[in-house]
Amino acid sequence: MKKIIYHFEDEMLYEPVLSFVRRYAPFRYAYAMKYHQKKDRYNALMAYVLLCVASEQLIGELSLGANGKPYFKNDFLENHFSISHTDNMVVVAISNQNIGIDIEQYNKVNYEILSMVCSKKEQYQIKENSQLPTFFWTAKESLSKLFNEDWYSSPMTDLLYDGHDIIDRNNLSVNFEHFDFSKNALCIASESSEVSLIEKAGSKKILKFITKGNDD
């Protein structure tokens, strides 16, 4: 099972989301409040709400493990999840197997960093395709989240784009799924070949879930 839920920013939800997380996950709320920018706080709070929506129930607190990787603290230990966000979009993945996701805006990838972490073969491919810088970056990022290690840099990865899919010739057990969201690219890394279920959580759905939770 690989379930992906995404949400585009809606500032009208900020106060209801803040109130919801403060009530049901005070430690997560305190974590989000450490961010200086309101947008970053919103993303951290919304990620928690999306995990609840994906689980179809309240999930309790989250904890931070090695390298700051979050995990379920209470009754969801058999499930894995991953979180990512851009300026205007938050996405979470929940799975019964380890999973890593990353989302990035097109044309936001730092080419200087790419020149340091990509092999010559990877850099050559990037020059031939304007989308590949974002695809390769999200693939490396999602792989790093999957293994909870620094997996960005060559020779740890040897990415190959065949015109449709990305494979890592150094990690052939990993399956990558890429999805296009107009301004953003999403990558999912997993050792499961199962196709991910992608679902949008609109503002009405989020508000309905929050309202129900506050009524319980």
Side-chain angles (χ1 to χ4, degrees), residues 102-159:
D102 188 59
I103 190 162
E104 184 60 74
Q105 291 178 281
Y106 288 115
N107 302 318
K108 291 286 187 177
V109 176
N110 188 311
Y111 278 83
E112 184 177 351
I113 293 178
L114 280 180
S115 68
M116 293 186 290
V117 302
C118 288
S119 68
K120 290 183 178 180
K121 290 181 180 179
E122 290 172 336
Q123 291 182 51
Y124 177 79
Q125 294 176 80
I126 285 172
K127 293 178 181 178
E128 300 297 311
N129 187 319
S130 62
Q131 287 186 313
L132 277 190
T134 310
F135 281 6
F136 275 14
W137 177 257
T138 54
K140 288 173 180 283
E141 178 80 15
S142 61
L143 186 64
S144 291
K145 292 181 179 181
L146 177 70
F147 293 146
N148 198 25
E149 297 280 354
D150 178 5
W151 231 260
Y152 301 100
S153 304
S154 173
M156 300 299 287
T157 59
D158 184 16
L159 300 180

Side-chain angles (χ1 to χ4, degrees), residues 166-183:
I166 288 177
I167 64 169
D168 183 359
R169 288 175 287 197
N170 287 351
N171 299 280
L172 292 174
S173 65
V174 176
N175 293 286
F176 294 100
E177 298 175 88
H178 263 101
F179 297 91
D180 176 68
F181 289 92
S182 181
K183 296 181 179 180

Side-chain angles (χ1 to χ4, degrees), residues 32-208:
M33 290 302 105
K34 292 180 181 179
Y35 289 106
H36 296 296
Q37 294 190 22
K38 182 178 179 180
K39 184 171 293 188
D40 293 328
R41 296 196 295 270
Y42 179 89
N43 288 335
L45 295 167
M46 181 56 72
Y48 177 85
V49 175
L50 291 181
L51 287 171
C52 289
V53 173
S55 303
E56 299 180 350
Q57 58 185 304
L58 298 172
I59 61 173
E61 281 289 359
L62 303 180
S63 291
L64 295 179
N67 300 320
K69 183 174 182 177
Y71 64 91
F72 290 118
K73 184 177 181 179
N74 297 317
D75 299 329
F76 298 86
L77 297 179
E78 72 277 11
N79 286 322
H80 302 265
F81 69 90
S82 186
I83 294 169
S84 186
H85 57 81
T86 65
D87 285 347
N88 68 333
M89 185 176 179
V90 182
V91 60
V92 303
I94 186 169
S95 175
N96 55 1
Q97 297 185 44
N98 195 16
I99 194 167
I101 61 169
D102 188 59
I103 190 162
E104 184 60 74
Q105 291 178 281
Y106 288 115
N107 302 318
K108 291 286 187 177
V109 176
N110 188 311
Y111 278 83
E112 184 177 351
I113 293 178
L114 280 180
S115 68
M116 293 186 290
V117 302
C118 288
S119 68
K120 290 183 178 180
K121 290 181 180 179
E122 290 172 336
Q123 291 182 51
Y124 177 79
Q125 294 176 80
I126 285 172
K127 293 178 181 178
E128 300 297 311
N129 187 319
S130 62
Q131 287 186 313
L132 277 190
T134 310
F135 281 6
F136 275 14
W137 177 257
T138 54
K140 288 173 180 283
E141 178 80 15
S142 61
L143 186 64
S144 291
K145 292 181 179 181
L146 177 70
F147 293 146
N148 198 25
E149 297 280 354
D150 178 5
W151 231 260
Y152 301 100
S153 304
S154 173
M156 300 299 287
T157 59
D158 184 16
L159 300 180
L160 173 67
Y161 180 65
D162 65 5
H164 183 264
D165 297 313
I166 288 177
I167 64 169
D168 183 359
R169 288 175 287 197
N170 287 351
N171 299 280
L172 292 174
S173 65
V174 176
N175 293 286
F176 294 100
E177 298 175 88
H178 263 101
F179 297 91
D180 176 68
F181 289 92
S182 181
K183 296 181 179 180
N184 303 316
L186 167 68
C187 184
I188 305 162
S190 171
E191 293 183 298
S192 168
S193 60
E194 180 184 8
V195 177
S196 297
L197 174 64
I198 309 289
E199 178 184 339
K200 179 180 179 180
S203 297
K204 289 184 178 179
K205 182 171 185 175
I206 295 293
L207 196 56
K208 181 179 180 180

